[in-house]
């Protein structure tokens, strides 16, 4: 079974530029998550989708971050414009069912973003 | 509100020695608990999880954890570590009825030859 795929793996941009990350979840997984992992911290949930609907985006900085999940499969996360504090690893995860507490989340390798 | 505390940011240990990585949580409701491992430049991989039942949970790669409700702890243990266990370990909590995982800040395990 193929895992969660993410691209690019690394990205370096200057502040005020825009950037987009792509995630392809495990086939058949209904729920998709985007996390931000700042160096020295644990992952923090940014947004959760169930199929193509947003379940929770309460911690997404909506003035600069946006995300979509077209057709309930792939997802993109965009930052525009980027700030220095956005430097982090962006992790995508997916789970099979409705995203409940017992639902195991499977993580992709992440995209490491450096904002200069 | 839930929180997870991993007091040890780094744990060095010699190969074949036992190790315990500590995790404490706070929550006003019943919780589910998880341990994930992150190898360099990789995503998080589930080691084990406690949902209900036996408080001793066995996971992959010889790891186990014990849920202690009175101590609000979920410490991870391995009786004999290998060089390949060098990685970052994250404890996470999720309360029953929600989906959100709250992660600790991680413990970097370094196994020395």
């Amino acid at each position: 079974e193929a895992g969660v795929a993410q691209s690019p793996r690394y990205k370096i941009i200057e502040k005020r530029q825009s950037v987009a990350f792509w995630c392809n979840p495990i086939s058949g997984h209904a729920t998709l998550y985007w996390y931000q992992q700042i160096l020295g911290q644990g992952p923090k949930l940014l947004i959760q989708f169930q199929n193509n609907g947003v379940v929770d985006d309460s911690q997404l900085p909506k003035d600069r971050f946006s995300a979509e999940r077209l057709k309930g499969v792939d997802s993109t996360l965009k930052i525009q414009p980027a700030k220095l504090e956005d430097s982090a690893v962006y992790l995508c995860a997916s789970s099979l069912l409705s995203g409940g507490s017992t639902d195991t989340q499977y993580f992709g390798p992440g995209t490491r973003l450096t904002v200069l | 509100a839930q929180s997870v505390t991993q007091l040890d940011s780094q744990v060095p240990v010699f190969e074949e020695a036992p190790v315990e990585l500590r995790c404490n949580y706070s929550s006003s409701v019943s919780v589910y608990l998880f341990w994930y491992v992150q190898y360099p430049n990789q995503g998080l991989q589930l080691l084990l999880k406690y949902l209900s039942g036996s408080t001793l949970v066995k996971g992959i790669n010889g790891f186990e954890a014990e849920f202690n409700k009175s101590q609000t702890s979920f410490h991870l243990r391995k009786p004999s570590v290998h060089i390949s266990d060098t990685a970052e370990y994250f404890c996470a909590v999720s309360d029953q009825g929600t989906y959100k995982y709250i992660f600790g800040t991680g413990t970097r395990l370094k196994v020395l030859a």
Side-chain angles (χ1 to χ4, degrees), chain A residues 6 19-23 31-38 41-50 53-68 75-80 85-93 105 107 110-111 113, chain B residues 99-103:
Chain A
Q6 290 187 248
V19 64
F21 312 127
W22 174 82
C23 172
T31 307
L32 185 146
Y33 314 78
W34 282 102
Y35 287 86
Q36 180 191 58
Q37 185 179 15
I38 292 173
Q41 299 181 21
K44 182 186 82 171
L45 180 68
L46 291 176
I47 188 168
Q48 178 184 342
F49 293 94
Q50 185 173 335
V54 175
V55 174
D56 183 359
D57 62 359
S58 59
Q59 296 195 88
L60 187 74
K62 298 181 189 62
D63 57 333
R64 297 184 299 106
F65 286 64
S66 64
E68 60 181 7
S75 176
T76 56
L77 176 70
K78 296 179 182 177
I79 308 175
Q80 184 180 8
E85 58 261 35
D86 298 331
S87 292
V89 176
Y90 291 85
L91 295 166
C92 179
Q105 296 186 24
F107 285 79
T111 296
L113 173 68
Chain B
Y99 49 83
K100 281 186 176 178
Y101 284 22
I102 305 297
F103 285 88

Side-chain angles (χ1 to χ4, degrees), chain B residues 9-82:
Chain B
S9 59
Q10 276 199 107
V11 174
V13 62
F14 286 104
E15 196 174 17
E16 297 183 9
V19 70
E20 179 179 81
L21 305 183
R22 296 181 293 168
C23 172
N24 289 88
Y25 69 91
S26 67
S27 176
S28 57
V29 297
S30 296
V31 297
Y32 302 124
L33 295 154
F34 308 82
W35 274 101
Y36 280 83
V37 60
Q38 187 175 34
Y39 298 104
N41 298 315
Q42 294 186 29
L44 279 70
Q45 179 184 2
L46 182 67
L47 273 178
L48 49 79
K49 60 184 176 182
Y50 170 79
L51 303 180
S52 65
S54 173
T55 57
L56 184 62
V57 180
K58 293 190 183 298
I60 61 171
N61 301 339
F63 284 94
E64 63 180 33
E66 185 152 22
F67 171 57
N68 187 320
K69 189 173 182 179
S70 62
Q71 301 286 329
T72 60
S73 68
F74 190 55
H75 300 334
L76 181 71
R77 295 191 291 259
K78 186 170 182 178
S80 175
V81 295
H82 303 289

Side-chain angles (χ1 to χ4, degrees), chain A residues 79-107:
Chain A
I79 308 175
Q80 184 180 8
K83 292 185 176 181
L84 296 177
E85 58 261 35
D86 298 331
S87 292
V89 176
Y90 291 85
L91 295 166
C92 179
S94 69
S95 62
L96 179 62
L97 301 174
S98 59
S101 298
T102 62
D103 210 14
T104 298
Q105 296 186 24
Y106 296 87
F107 285 79

